């Protein structure tokens, strides 16, 4: 094991909690923070440090931010109770939320003015891989930021894609990934429910299509949730209006048409509007099922 780090981790949701577990397993000291006090208590029960990151700010080697969006990221760092001004010089800020590249660059500039290292480090892989320390991280930042983050990256990721010195490149690559991931989930749901209209059972779909050219990671990962009728969230419907909305904002700024992304976004918006926002994102299949009068597995009466 390398040098022990003292880390403040903000955001103990599905991904953040798994990352915290991986950091603890690697021997680091982790102060957790979340709006859900139960998540903080659970982390402390698993070996997390007592006290909030704010209270330990001057002792922290790094702050890892795994919150929902840009607004929450900015609040953690520079809001009314923002931690950035209280961190020691040379501390690391590692930002993992899906945000626009321009926002990442702004945060980096403000952190660097405080002599803090900033790593633009969006994550991919899902809840199980976060808990296993098996994430993929798309990271950009100056060499000193990568050096400061080395122990954290080793504890939380199996693959680190070095996107270069220019902050924002990591967030740009995450946006590219989210187009594919979101569209693949929506298209999987469309294909599976279309198959149902042709007499193809979802279980049979999942036996055949993973062996064919039309498969994808998202199909193979999310399809079984529909087959099992189990929408316990590993990644929720509500993630996608946010992430695909960010993608479309970036595309608008680049004068780039993204019509397929826009259509996928609307399917997730529809799913959330039907009351499925907190369910696993495979629940987008329920939009197609309702429109076509289909009964999905687990919904039989």
């Amino acid at each position: 094991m390398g040098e022990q780090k003292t880390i403040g981790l903000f955001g103990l949701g599905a991904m953040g909690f798994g990352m915290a577990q991986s950091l603890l397993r690697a021997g680091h000291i982790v102060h957790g923070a979340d709006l859900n006090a139960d998540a903080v208590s659970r982390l402390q029960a698993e070996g997390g440090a007592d006290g909030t990151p704010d209270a330990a700010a001057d002792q922290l080697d790094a702050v890892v931010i795994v919150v929902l969006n840009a607004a929450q990221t900015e609040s953690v760092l520079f809001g009314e109770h923002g931690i950035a001004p209280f961190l020691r010089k040379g501390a690391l800020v590692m930002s993992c939320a899906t945000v626009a590249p321009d926002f990442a660059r702004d945060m980096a500039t403000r952190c660097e003015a405080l002599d803090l290292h900033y790593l633009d480090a969006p994550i991919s892989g899902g809840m199980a891989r976060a808990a296993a320390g098996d994430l993929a991280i798309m990271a950009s930042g100056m060499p000193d930021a990568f050096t400061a983050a080395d122990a954290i990256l080793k504890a939380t990721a199996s693959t680190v894609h070095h996107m270069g010195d220019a902050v924002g490149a990591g967030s740009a690559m995450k946006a590219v990934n989210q187009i594919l991931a979101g569209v693949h989930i929506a298209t999987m749901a469309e294909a599976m429910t279309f198959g149902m209209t042709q007499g193809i059972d979802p279980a049979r779909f999942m036996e055949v299509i993973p062996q064919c050219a039309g498969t994808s990671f998202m199909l193979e990962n999310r399809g079984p949730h529909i087959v099992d009728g189990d929408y316990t969230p590993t990644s929720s419907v509500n993630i996608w209006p946010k992430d695909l909305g960010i993608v479309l904002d970036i595309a608008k700024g680049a004068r780039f048409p993204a019509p397929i992304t826009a259509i996928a976004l609307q399917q997730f918006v529809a799913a959330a509007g039907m009351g499925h926002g907190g369910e696993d994102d495979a629940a987008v299949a329920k939009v197609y099922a309702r429109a076509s009068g289909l009964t999905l597995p687990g919904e039989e009466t």
Side-chain angles (χ1 to χ4, degrees):
M1 184 181 72
E3 180 186 357
Q4 183 185 64
K5 299 288 187 180
T6 302
I7 300 160
L9 194 146
F10 288 85
L12 296 173
M15 299 290 278
F17 197 92
M19 292 178 72
Q21 289 175 307
S22 295
L23 289 165
L24 289 173
R25 195 166 53 247
H28 301 296
I29 298 167
V30 182
H31 296 265
D34 195 276
L35 295 175
N36 179 0
D38 289 342
V40 176
S41 297
R42 181 182 162 211
L43 181 67
Q44 290 174 348
E46 294 193 17
D50 292 334
T52 65
D54 291 338
D58 61 351
Q59 303 168 40
L60 298 179
D61 297 303
V63 168
V64 179
I65 306 172
V66 200
V67 294
L68 184 63
N69 54 28
Q72 291 183 4
T73 300
E74 185 169 19
S75 178
V76 166
L77 289 171
F78 298 107
E80 182 180 356
H81 303 290
I83 196 170
F86 301 99
L87 297 172
R88 62 173 181 77
K89 295 183 187 302
L92 169 74
V93 172
M94 178 170 155
S95 178
C96 300
T98 301
V99 300
D102 284 348
F103 174 83
R105 286 188 280 270
D106 179 54
M107 289 298 99
T109 298
R110 293 170 70 179
C111 285
E112 287 161 5
L114 297 172
D115 292 323
L116 304 175
H117 300 300
Y118 188 93
L119 195 70
D120 174 35
I123 55 181
S124 182
M127 181 173 63
R129 288 178 64 186
D134 189 32
L135 290 172
I137 298 182
M138 295 151 274
S140 57
M142 296 301 291
D144 285 349
F146 275 101
T147 298
D150 183 63
I152 296 170
L153 296 172
K154 285 178 178 175
T156 57
S158 57
T159 305
V160 179
H161 298 284
H162 288 249
M163 300 303 301
D165 294 352
V167 166
S171 286
M173 185 59 77
K174 178 63 183 293
V176 171
N177 181 75
Q178 295 309 82
I179 289 179
L180 291 166
V183 167
H184 285 174
I185 294 168
T187 305
M188 173 277 296
E190 183 170 308
M192 184 181 286
T193 50
F194 168 70
M196 291 174 69
T197 71
Q198 304 304 303
I200 299 171
D201 182 78
R204 185 62 174 152
F205 174 98
M206 287 307 301
E207 290 172 359
V208 174
I209 296 301
Q211 308 303 318
C212 299
T215 193
S216 68
F217 171 84
M218 286 303 195
L219 184 150
E220 295 179 26
N221 186 268
R222 303 301 204 271
H225 301 176
I226 301 172
V227 172
D228 296 339
D230 183 359
Y231 298 95
T232 303
T234 54
S235 174
S236 72
V237 165
N238 282 336
I239 292 294
W240 293 103
K242 173 186 73 73
D243 280 14
L244 295 183
I246 290 169
V247 168
L248 291 177
D249 285 343
I250 298 168
K252 181 179 179 181
R255 294 191 172 187
F256 178 83
I260 296 171
T261 303
I263 292 169
L265 168 63
Q266 290 308 311
Q267 296 303 94
F268 289 110
V269 169
M274 290 167 58
H276 305 305
E279 297 179 20
D280 188 84
D281 48 27
V284 72
K286 297 180 180 182
V287 176
Y288 294 96
R290 177 177 288 187
S292 302
L294 300 169
T295 302
L296 293 172
E299 297 183 343
E300 299 87 353
T301 57

